[in-house]
């Protein structure tokens, strides 16, 4: 396969981060090694596109990702249900409650896809239980950004699977589940939302309102950094030092703008625009099988979740969103590659003009899987 344009945009974006790191006004060594670490995402992206050549293989990779996050969510809820916001219950990228909530929301559409496509009752039950843990974990993190992302990504998911997929019962079940979850484990989340208004009554409210004020300051500081260093930025992971607060700005777009510069931010937008383009072209294709339709809907929901959640979280260097775009590229490429297979199935005895009659004509195409 030839690599698509989105691969070029991602490589160019990462390449521009290198001079930004080497010329950083803050910490050159730290920015350089953080940039090299981020380059792993491109290697994984390229291998994903080149090696996954069937929908079955793509579903297997997505299955591993969704199941892993589901198990992580179950462990977090069981192990730390009494820990405020599940903070530090797990290590690594899941130690921060906001990052944990973000990762869960991006994988929920895939989990629902597997639940709907599973033919075994046992598998459906397992996915249903995992999804309950995932949703409970999002509420227990009390992440306001995670909840907003969940609502918007979930709405897109219900549009694809419930409305267009003609499953009205799914919408009713999700609505009821949301009400139950909010009543059962959403108390701290509601407090954190009310605290934004400035009505502070206890320690939880004070912490939430303080977080809101601090994030507002960091956003203004990041805009200041973009104006001072618009071309190369301050270097990857250097904003926490530049801000003077030792905190990241909770906005992916501002994070990339201040640390990578405006050209990197533009390439970032172009990269994700290609993901949505792949799905848009895919939806225009005829006679897609049910598995492809479900996977396309899940990918669209996940990408919408990232684009919205990126306004509230510093996720510029998380690998999950970049993989989601890789999945759209793979799915679009696989479906396009099916066309020669269709034509090769036509009988050799058929007139030659029949073999090419499906291209550019209104004749119905044969169904394929």
């Amino acid at each position: 396969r030839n690599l698509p344009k989105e691969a070029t945009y991602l490589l160019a974006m990462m390449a521009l981060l290198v001079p930004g790191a080497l010329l950083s006004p803050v910490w050159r060594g730290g920015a350089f090694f953080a940039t090299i670490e981020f380059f792993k995402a491109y290697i994984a992206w390229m291998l994903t596109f080149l090696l996954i050549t069937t929908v079955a293989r793509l579903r297997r990779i997505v299955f591993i990702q969704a199941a892993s996050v589901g198990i992580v969510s179950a462990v977090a809820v069981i192990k730390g249900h009494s820990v405020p916001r599940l903070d530090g219950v797990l290590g690594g990228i899941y130690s921060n409650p906001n990052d944990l909530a973000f990762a869960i929301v991006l994988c929920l559409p895939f989990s629902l896809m597997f639940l709907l496509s599973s033919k075994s009752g046992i598998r459906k039950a397992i996915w249903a239980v995992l999804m309950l843990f995932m949703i409970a974990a999002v509420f227990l993190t009390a992440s306001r950004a995670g909840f907003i992302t969940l609502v918007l990504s979930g709405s897109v998911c219900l549009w694809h699977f419930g409305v267009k997929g003609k499953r009205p019962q799914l919408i009713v079940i999700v609505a009821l589940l949301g009400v139950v979850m909010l009543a059962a484990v959403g108390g701290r989340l509601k407090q954190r939302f009310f605290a934004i208004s400035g009505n502070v009554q206890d320690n939880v409210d004070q912490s939430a309102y303080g977080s809101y004020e601090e994030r507002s300051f960091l956003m203004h500081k990041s805009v200041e950094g973009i104006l001072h260093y618009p071309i190369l930025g301050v270097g990857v992971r250097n904003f926490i030092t530049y801000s003077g607060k030792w905190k990241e700005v909770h906005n992916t777009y501002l994070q990339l703008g201040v640390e990578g510069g405006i050209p990197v931010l533009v390439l970032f937008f172009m990269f994700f625009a290609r993901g949505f383009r792949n799905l848009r072209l895919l939806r225009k294709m005829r006679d897609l099988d049910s598995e492809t339709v479900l996977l396309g809907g899940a990918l669209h929901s996940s990408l919408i979740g990232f684009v919205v959640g990126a306004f509230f979280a510093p996720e510029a260097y998380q690998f999950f969103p970049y993989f989601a775009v890789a999945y759209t590229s793979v799915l679009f490429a696989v479906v396009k590659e099916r066309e020669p297979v269709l034509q090769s199935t036509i009988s050799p005895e058929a007139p030659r003009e029949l073999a090419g009659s499906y291209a550019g004509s209104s004749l119905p195409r044969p169904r394929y899987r």
Side-chain angles (χ1 to χ4, degrees):
R1 283 177 179 165
N2 294 321
L3 292 174
K5 287 184 178 179
E6 48 267 36
T8 304
Y9 297 152
L10 181 59
L11 182 61
M13 184 182 111
M14 292 183 172
L16 280 177
L17 291 175
V18 175
L22 296 177
L23 300 174
S24 171
V26 181
W27 183 22
R28 296 176 183 177
F32 177 75
F33 286 109
T35 301
I36 296 301
E37 180 75 15
F38 185 42
F39 259 97
K40 293 178 181 178
Y42 181 76
I43 297 172
W45 200 101
M46 183 175 62
L47 291 175
T48 298
F49 182 78
L50 294 176
L51 298 180
I52 300 179
T53 55
T54 65
V55 173
R57 287 185 180 180
L58 179 57
R59 281 174 57 88
R60 193 175 306 138
I61 293 292
V62 175
F63 175 89
I64 293 170
Q65 178 178 324
S68 299
V69 174
I71 293 170
V72 163
S73 302
V75 172
V77 172
I78 294 171
K79 184 179 177 182
H81 61 276
S82 59
V83 178
R85 303 194 61 199
L86 301 180
D87 193 5
V89 172
L90 302 174
I93 62 172
Y94 299 120
S95 58
N96 183 289
N98 294 309
D99 291 341
L100 175 60
F102 199 72
I104 293 171
V105 171
L106 293 186
C107 284
L108 267 171
F110 301 134
S111 301
L112 182 57
M113 174 194 73
F114 285 116
L115 187 151
L116 295 176
S117 61
S118 295
K119 295 179 173 59
S120 166
I122 296 177
R123 291 182 181 178
K124 284 182 180 291
I126 292 174
W127 279 112
V129 171
L130 285 179
M131 288 186 65
L132 286 175
F133 276 116
M134 293 167 80
I135 296 172
V138 172
F139 278 93
L140 287 173
T141 61
S143 171
R144 291 168 290 194
F147 178 76
I148 294 172
T149 307
L150 175 65
V151 171
L152 292 177
S153 177
S155 299
V156 176
C157 201
L158 288 177
W159 166 255
H160 283 292
F161 298 158
V163 178
K164 295 183 68 176
K166 298 180 180 179
R167 300 180 183 90
Q169 69 277 11
L170 182 62
I171 301 175
V172 176
I173 292 172
V174 171
L176 292 175
L177 180 61
V179 173
V180 172
M181 284 289 182
L182 191 61
V185 292
R188 186 176 291 270
L189 177 63
K190 289 186 288 186
Q191 284 182 305
R192 287 176 58 79
F193 267 111
F194 290 145
I196 296 177
S197 64
N199 184 19
V200 179
Q201 297 180 354
D202 56 23
N203 292 335
V204 174
D205 291 348
Q206 289 176 0
S207 174
Y209 185 71
S211 172
Y212 167 75
E213 288 288 304
E214 184 178 65
R215 291 182 185 184
S216 179
F217 167 80
L218 291 171
M219 291 176 71
H220 285 90
K221 189 69 176 178
S222 66
V223 173
E224 175 190 305
I226 293 173
L227 295 176
H228 278 87
Y229 306 100
I231 306 302
L232 296 177
V234 300
V236 175
R237 300 292 189 187
N238 271 350
F239 178 74
I240 59 173
T241 306
Y242 177 81
S243 68
K245 292 283 188 179
W246 296 99
K247 295 287 183 67
E248 293 180 310
V249 57
H250 278 249
N251 183 302
T252 298
Y253 309 115
L254 291 177
Q255 181 187 21
L256 265 182
V258 69
E259 294 185 349
I262 294 176
V264 167
L265 182 59
V266 171
L267 287 167
F268 181 79
F269 286 134
M270 293 171 66
F271 171 77
F272 278 94
R274 290 284 298 186
F276 285 105
R277 170 207 175 258
N278 292 336
L279 294 176
R280 185 175 66 254
L281 293 178
L282 191 69
R283 287 195 296 270
K284 292 180 179 179
M285 293 182 176
R286 300 171 58 187
D287 298 317
L288 295 177
D289 59 81
S290 59
E291 287 188 350
T292 303
V293 172
L294 283 173
L295 185 52
L299 284 168
H300 188 233
S301 305
S302 186
L303 280 181
I304 289 290
F306 172 73
V307 169
V308 173
F311 281 102
F312 311 102
E315 307 295 340
Y317 313 114
Q318 283 274 15
F319 289 3
F320 277 167
Y322 300 97
F323 291 163
V325 175
Y327 299 157
T328 70
S329 305
V330 169
L331 187 60
F332 182 58
V334 167
V335 173
K336 283 179 61 179
E337 289 161 0
R338 285 171 167 171
E339 295 295 332
V341 175
L342 283 179
Q343 293 188 7
S344 67
T345 59
I346 298 176
S347 171
E349 289 76 23
R352 180 173 299 179
E353 55 267 24
L354 180 61
S357 62
Y358 292 107
S361 76
S362 59
L363 291 175
R365 296 176 180 269
R367 293 188 176 274
Y368 54 87
R369 289 190 180 274

